[in-house]
Amino acid sequence: MRRNDMDMDRMVALAFLADFGAVTYRGVEINRSRVWGWDLKDVETGKVTVTNDALFALHLVDLLRDKGIDWFEEAA
């Protein structure tokens, strides 16, 4: 994926988060949490994590997909 395409996908995902409170970005469901921040769930593995910032949530997904860094834990 080209850099400009990725930036556009990221901006669209951020707009959906702001408007609807939920989006699937690069295979990760991001939803506004009822308690605090944002819930992230990897669609492939079912692993989950949370963050307090929507833009940081997108950054975590990029780290997961591009660098292989795993911020997710097994769902309880």
Side-chain angles (χ1 to χ4, degrees):
M1 181 181 293
R2 292 186 3 221
R3 179 75 181 153
N4 290 340
D5 292 339
M6 194 167 86
D7 289 344
M8 182 59 76
D9 289 347
R10 197 177 221 197
M11 294 307 295
V12 169
L14 193 57
F16 270 88
L17 288 174
D19 234 10
F20 303 111
V23 71
T24 299
Y25 175 68
R26 298 184 71 184
V28 176
E29 293 175 358
I30 304 172
N31 295 295
R32 184 172 289 133
S33 175
R34 293 180 183 205
V35 179
W36 175 85
W38 299 88
D39 296 328
L40 289 78
K41 180 180 179 184
D42 189 336
V43 175
E44 295 173 11
T45 65
K47 292 182 177 181
V48 296
T49 193
V50 296
T51 183
N52 65 334
D53 184 78
L55 188 57
F56 190 67
L58 298 177
H59 182 64
L60 285 178
V61 173
D62 289 336
L63 286 174
L64 172 72
R65 296 299 184 229
D66 297 337
K67 306 287 185 193
I69 298 171
D70 192 358
W71 290 83
F72 296 88
E73 298 176 358
E74 295 295 329

